[in-house]
């Protein structure tokens, strides 16, 4: 079966090739991470998400539940380091203990100090509203020291800090509309009365993210028109507007996650959209996971809509596991499923159920030393055969023995590939073969 004859179901491909590695969505695979704010500090990507957890308290069993923040960093958007907890709800003087409401944060740098902004529930019997506090550090990965009091005048959630081209800082947040104010030089007090961003169409809910590019200001935000949040944006020549609405950046989540929350950042010459879906928790959308896809601007500065992909960004290393289930394209007769429904962090597999079905995975780096062997983790109760084809047209056949359990099978790779290749795996024989991952050596 040739690639050209496939009817591909998903054609969502990221075109940028900036990083060597295997970034796939979701990018953090051992815990839930939501509301991902990405910031570049010292040439490295830092990720400051909220930390969703299954609620230990009855009142939040069906709601958002977050008690602390972790920060992650990466050089290549592929390998992420978890630097651990940087702020815990019970270490913040003004936060109601065990309120589990450490919602979407932001972090910025100024004059030798990193300022971490976070919303939470202030102390006080029966308090329900949110305030926004600041914690500071000399390092982007912390440790951060929380200030005694939240920022006076900011009542709401989802703080985002914008610096204009002169270095003046502004804070945007959600609280009875999309609110904004100038910040004083200390970045911890308001320098102007909060005001509402006017002129946006109805549908704003939360999660504003503002940034500047080539002298234009972009105000991006979750926006509901139908059932769940899309991501939309407006543009202005001034940081405080007036903003002109431009449209949708990302459509509603196909998995029905009600929220989406994002950040947009340039790294090594490529722009990225960080956002979240509920990949590891399809049945409960308050346990979310960070994803990344490439973002592009049109020549007039508007944003080209971004399609959510499983493949994500970056280049996968052939010598590390290539998770085929994070595919670029798939045909009928192949589908993905969790490897273990009782432990979803074990990830996904591809199940081939029809001869000829195929899954394509783009951008694998075979390096400069020829690979001579491919190994796959597979399962096939009645046995089968896989065809492993690279974009240079060469193919290997992998005989899969009868196996009720996962097993490793290997084959020689006659073409000895080097460099960058795309991969297609198809079912050459058999009726049911599952693939967890492939690796070359
Ligand atoms: O994570 C809790 C809330 O859900 C955030 O603050 C919102 O933006 C939404 O993502």
């Amino acid at each position: 079966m040739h690639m050209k004859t496939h009817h591909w179901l998903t054609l969502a491909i990221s075109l940028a090739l900036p990083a060597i590695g295997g970034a796939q969505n979701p990018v953090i695979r051992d815990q839930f991470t939501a509301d991902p704010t990405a910031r570049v500090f010292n040439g490295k990507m830092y990720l400051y998400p909220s930390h969703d957890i299954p609620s230990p308290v009855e009142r939040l069993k069906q709601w958002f539940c977050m008690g602390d923040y972790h920060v992650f960093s990466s050089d290549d958007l592929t390998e992420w380091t978890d630097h651990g907890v940087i702020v815990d709800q019970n270490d913040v003087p003004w936060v109601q203990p065990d309120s589990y409401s450490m919602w979407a944060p932001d972090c910025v740098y100024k004059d030798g100090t990193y300022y971490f902004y976070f919303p939470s529930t202030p102390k006080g019997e029966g308090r329900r509203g949110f305030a926004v506090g600041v914690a500071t550090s000399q390092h982007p990965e912390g440790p951060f020291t929380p200030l005694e009091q939240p920022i006076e005048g900011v009542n709401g959630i989802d703080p985002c800090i914008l610096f204009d081209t002169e270095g003046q800082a502004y804070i945007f947040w959600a609280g009875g509309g999309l609110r904004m104010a100038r910040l004083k030089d200390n970045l911890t007090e308001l320098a102007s009365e909060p005001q509402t961003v006017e002129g946006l169409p109805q549908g704003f809910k939360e999660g504003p993210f503002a940034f500047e590019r080539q002298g234009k200001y972009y105000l991006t935000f979750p926006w509901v028109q139908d059932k769940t949040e899309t991501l939309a944006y407006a543009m202005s020549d001034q940081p405080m507007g007036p903003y002109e609405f431009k449209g949708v950046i990302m459509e509603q989540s196909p998995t029905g996650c009600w929220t989406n929350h994002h950040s947009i950042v340039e790294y090594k010459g490529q722009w990225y959209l960080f956002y979240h879906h509920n990949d590891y928790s399809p049945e409960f959308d308050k346990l979310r996971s960070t994803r990344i896809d490439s973002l592009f601007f049109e020549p007039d500065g508007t944003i080209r809509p971004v399609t959510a992909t499983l493949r994500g960004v970056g280049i996968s290393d052939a010598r590390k596991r290539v998770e085929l289930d994070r595919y670029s394209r798939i045909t009928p007769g192949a589908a993905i499923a969790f490897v273990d429904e009782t432990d979803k962090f074990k990830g996904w597999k591809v199940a081939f159920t029809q001869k000829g079905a195929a899954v394509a995975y783009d951008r694998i780096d075979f390096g400069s030393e020829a690979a001579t062997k491919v190994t796959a983790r597979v399962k096939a109760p009645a046995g089968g055969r896989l065809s492993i084809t690279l974009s240079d047209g060469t193919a290997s056949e992998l005989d899969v023995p009868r196996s009720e359990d996962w097993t490793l099978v290997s084959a020689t790779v006659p073409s000895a590939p080097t460099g960058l290749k795309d991969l297609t795996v198809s079912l050459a024989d058999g009726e049911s073969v599952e693939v967890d991952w492939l690796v070359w050596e």
Side-chain angles (χ1 to χ4, degrees):
M1 189 172 194
H2 296 290
M3 289 278 292
K4 287 193 188 91
T5 62
H6 292 320
H7 172 236
W8 298 111
L9 292 182
T10 301
L11 289 166
I13 319 167
S14 302
L15 295 174
L17 306 174
I20 297 291
Q24 302 154 326
N25 287 326
V27 294
I28 306 296
R29 302 185 195 144
D30 64 349
Q31 59 195 287
F32 298 109
T33 55
D35 310 324
T37 297
R39 296 287 187 190
V40 177
F41 296 129
N42 312 316
K44 209 176 217 215
M45 185 70 85
Y46 285 85
L47 171 62
Y48 298 89
S50 316
H51 184 195
D52 287 348
I53 54 170
S55 179
V57 292
E58 198 52 42
R59 77 193 151 80
L60 295 175
K61 287 280 185 221
Q62 295 303 317
W63 193 235
F64 302 106
C65 183
M66 301 96 120
D68 61 26
Y69 298 100
H70 287 224
V71 60
F72 304 82
S73 70
S74 175
D75 287 318
D76 59 6
L77 309 187
T78 296
E79 305 292 333
W80 289 90
T81 303
D82 180 356
H83 298 280
V85 174
I86 53 167
V87 176
D88 183 283
Q89 59 179 354
N90 294 335
D91 294 336
V92 183
W94 60 269
V95 168
Q96 176 72 20
D98 290 338
S99 48
Y100 291 100
S101 50
M102 307 294 269
W103 286 19
D106 192 7
C107 189
V108 295
Y109 170 81
K110 186 184 172 193
D111 298 338
T113 300
Y114 295 86
Y115 295 80
F116 181 72
Y117 296 77
F118 57 97
S120 196
T121 308
K123 272 184 179 150
E125 206 51 47
R127 288 293 294 269
R128 289 185 68 83
F130 278 79
V132 169
V134 188
T136 61
S137 176
Q138 303 312 300
H139 308 281
E141 60 271 19
F144 282 86
T145 307
L147 303 193
E148 286 290 321
Q149 295 296 333
I151 304 176
E152 204 178 317
V154 180
N155 302 311
I157 58 170
D158 301 349
C160 168
I161 309 303
L162 167 74
F163 289 100
D164 71 13
T165 49
E166 311 287 305
Q168 168 66 49
Y170 305 80
I171 181 167
F172 293 78
W173 72 97
L178 205 171
R179 308 280 281 163
M180 64 182 170
R182 272 204 326 277
L183 281 172
K184 289 188 181 169
D185 278 351
N186 63 15
L187 297 192
T188 61
E189 291 174 280
L190 298 191
S192 69
E193 280 301 310
Q195 62 189 80
T196 300
V197 178
E198 304 291 355
L200 301 180
Q202 289 241 317
F204 167 80
K205 298 289 171 199
E206 54 192 357
F209 184 84
F211 65 97
E212 181 269 335
R213 176 183 175 266
Q214 295 181 359
K216 297 277 182 206
Y217 294 92
Y218 293 78
L219 186 50
T220 68
F221 45 87
W223 187 57
V224 179
Q225 284 301 281
D226 178 25
K227 293 192 176 72
T228 64
E229 289 178 339
T230 66
L231 299 175
Y233 76 111
M235 288 175 70
S236 177
D237 291 330
Q238 305 295 330
M240 295 185 89
Y243 277 93
E244 187 185 338
F245 186 73
K246 293 292 182 185
V248 168
I249 301 170
M250 176 168 273
E251 295 293 348
Q252 302 178 100
S253 152
T255 54
C257 189
W258 196 90
T259 63
N260 198 351
H261 186 122
H262 66 299
S263 54
I264 293 173
V265 63
E266 186 181 20
Y267 187 56
K268 298 183 179 174
Q270 174 64 50
W271 285 82
Y272 295 99
L273 175 68
F274 284 67
Y275 61 102
H276 70 224
H277 278 177
N278 55 333
D279 296 82
Y280 286 119
S281 177
E283 65 293 334
F284 180 52
D285 69 355
K286 308 293 182 287
L287 295 171
R288 300 156 295 178
S289 294
T290 298
R291 289 163 153 248
I292 315 172
D293 275 297
S294 299
L295 179 142
F296 299 88
F297 292 89
E298 300 295 356
D300 66 357
T302 55
I303 298 174
R304 195 185 299 168
V306 178
T307 303
T309 76
L310 296 176
R311 177 64 188 82
V313 298
I315 298 172
S316 295
D317 184 343
R319 284 163 177 82
K320 294 186 178 160
R321 291 175 186 180
V322 171
E323 303 282 352
L324 190 64
D325 47 80
R326 308 294 86 192
Y327 59 78
S328 304
R329 294 171 297 285
I330 193 165
T331 69
I336 64 166
F338 285 106
V339 168
D340 181 349
E341 280 287 341
T342 65
D343 181 3
K344 297 198 169 67
F345 284 115
K346 284 188 179 154
W348 294 264
K349 61 188 175 185
V350 171
F352 290 95
T353 51
Q354 195 179 301
K355 206 169 151 183
V359 176
Y361 187 107
D362 291 345
R363 307 192 310 277
I364 301 175
D365 185 28
F366 287 85
S368 51
E369 250 181 61
T372 53
K373 183 175 156 191
V374 59
T375 300
R377 186 169 190 252
V378 288
K379 189 173 11 173
R385 189 157 39 89
L386 293 169
S387 174
I388 298 173
T389 308
L390 297 178
S391 46
D392 58 11
T394 60
S396 316
E397 297 277 295
L398 197 67
D399 280 318
V400 182
R402 288 168 190 246
S403 50
E404 294 291 340
D405 256 329
W406 289 106
T407 181
L408 298 181
V409 290
S410 300
T412 309
V413 184
S415 62
T418 56
L420 197 62
K421 303 273 183 290
D422 298 337
L423 163 75
T424 301
V425 178
S426 60
L427 187 60
D429 207 3
E431 286 179 353
S432 171
V433 175
E434 294 182 348
V435 180
D436 190 4
W437 44 256
L438 302 102
V439 70
W440 284 260
E441 55 190 284

